[in-house]
Amino acid sequence: MKDAFRTQLLPLTPDGQTPPRVLTIAGTDSGGGAGIQADSRTMALCGVHACVAVAAVTAQNTLGVAGIHEIPPSFVADQIRCVAGDIGVQAAKTGMLASAPIIAAVAEACAEVGIGKDHATPLVVDPVCASMHGDPLLRADALDTLRETLLPLATVVTPNLDEVRLITGIDVVDAASARRAAAALCEFGAQWAVVKGGHQRDAPTSTDLLYDGATFREYPAARIATGNDHGGGDTLAAALACALARGYAVPDALAFAKQWVTRSLSAAYDLGAGHGPVSPLWRLHLSRQDLPE
Ligand code: PXL
């Protein structure tokens, strides 16, 4: 059991030494389940220092999103420049970016500070479009800007099946359409595309498909039966960014992230009256069990 869990962990930095830094550029969730809260939680428990650039503030709970306050695009960019100008990061990820002007400002600032596909620092783009309740988290007129400015900067893009449909127009119903969608995402400029299978709820396993324009790789995992899967996509993308910050190649980073989110789905808990969050807090219990005997 312990060995199986050990493969789900990244190396830790010795006490007192500076760990890798990862920047999340995303929206907040007042309920603490998804967005920047999910990202920071996974990043801390993966042993990296989380820096944050807030793109939008949401008023939400486990039942849905009641309101969104967008941060001015230039101030989102200021946060990115500020972090890069002093702290420096080894990977970054984007989540909820809310609007076309915010996406454009994020793409410009990232390229300027060396974050993105053709730059020194890898960028995971999680193209968040809606909450699990269907509340829009990205304005409908922002898809062109996403395709034109952010996908070409993506080291890895990690859409779920609804996001795949919005971005590529392809309805993923089987392995062939998943491959076509992954190819379309790479044609938009992403270096690697992950088509996540988690939303194909009738499938017995949750299989993610990874493509780099040349080779398809599959990442199957047991489907965890839980209604508490709020923040699952954010958790996968955050864990992926942490592994990239540790220097993992993308296929190994995704293998790690897939295990991390599967384990976090198994540890999800009830919260409020709606959907509870996936929980990387299992990592704390593991540390205790994992002490030398
Ligand atoms: O899980 C996607 C997501 C990302 N970011 C924020 C969210 C959600 C889902 O609700 O609220 C802020």
Side-chain angles (χ1 to χ4, degrees), residues 48-84:
V48 314
H49 177 91
C51 299
V52 304
V54 181
V57 178
T58 71
Q60 68 171 296
N61 56 26
T62 67
L63 297 171
V65 179
I68 296 174
H69 182 77
E70 292 176 13
I71 304 300
S74 63
F75 198 73
V76 182
D78 285 348
Q79 295 172 70
I80 296 168
R81 290 194 191 97
C82 224
V83 169

Side-chain angles (χ1 to χ4, degrees), residues 26-29 34-37 56 58 60 65 95-96 126 128-133 135 137 163 229-234:
T28 66
D29 171 358
I36 281 181
Q37 281 69 22
T58 71
Q60 68 171 296
V65 179
M96 173 191 180
D126 187 21
V128 172
C129 293
S131 78
M132 65 190 303
H133 299 93
D135 309 299
L137 298 176
E163 292 153 359
D229 53 0
H230 189 44
D234 316 61

Side-chain angles (χ1 to χ4, degrees), residues 132 160-162 196-202 206 223 229:
M132 65 190 303
N160 63 33
L161 297 185
D162 297 323
K196 294 184 294 191
H199 285 204
Q200 222 161 19
R201 295 192 192 275
D202 44 351
S206 158
R223 178 169 292 282
D229 53 0

Side-chain angles (χ1 to χ4, degrees), residues 2 14 26 35-36 56 70 76 85-86 94 103 107 127 140 151 159 198 217 219 260:
K2 275 191 188 171
I36 281 181
E70 292 176 13
V76 182
D86 170 40
T94 61
I103 293 176
L151 290 194
R217 294 172 172 85
Y219 294 77
W260 181 272

Side-chain angles (χ1 to χ4, degrees), residues 105-286:
V106 166
E108 191 184 332
C110 282
E112 186 190 310
V113 304
I115 293 171
K117 184 178 86 179
D118 298 321
H119 303 272
T121 305
L123 175 65
V124 178
V125 173
D126 187 21
V128 172
C129 293
S131 78
M132 65 190 303
H133 299 93
D135 309 299
L137 298 176
L138 181 68
R139 291 174 184 268
D141 66 1
L143 286 168
D144 281 342
T145 308
L146 175 71
R147 283 185 286 255
E148 286 160 19
T149 67
L150 203 54
L151 290 194
L153 266 188
T155 309
V156 195
V157 63
T158 61
N160 63 33
L161 297 185
D162 297 323
E163 292 153 359
V164 165
R165 192 176 314 111
L166 287 168
I167 295 167
T168 69
I170 297 171
D171 223 345
V172 173
V173 290
D174 55 16
S177 46
R179 286 183 171 215
R180 274 202 310 282
L185 291 162
C186 288
E187 272 158 32
F188 282 124
Q191 189 176 353
W192 298 80
V194 181
V195 172
K196 294 184 294 191
H199 285 204
Q200 222 161 19
R201 295 192 192 275
D202 44 351
T205 54
S206 158
T207 300
D208 295 350
L209 178 69
L210 177 66
Y211 187 56
D212 63 348
T215 307
F216 291 101
R217 294 172 172 85
E218 287 191 349
Y219 294 77
R223 178 169 292 282
I224 309 297
T226 175
N228 295 330
D229 53 0
H230 189 44
D234 316 61
T235 298
L236 177 96
L240 183 56
C242 291
L244 293 177
R246 277 276 175 206
Y248 284 36
V250 170
D252 295 336
L254 183 59
F256 165 74
K258 183 74 174 165
Q259 289 193 328
W260 181 272
V261 74
T262 302
R263 189 69 185 80
S264 300
L265 276 158
S266 309
Y269 48 83
D270 292 336
L271 191 72
H275 296 282
V278 309
S279 174
L281 295 176
W282 59 266
R283 176 67 178 82
L284 298 176
H285 308 306
L286 180 58

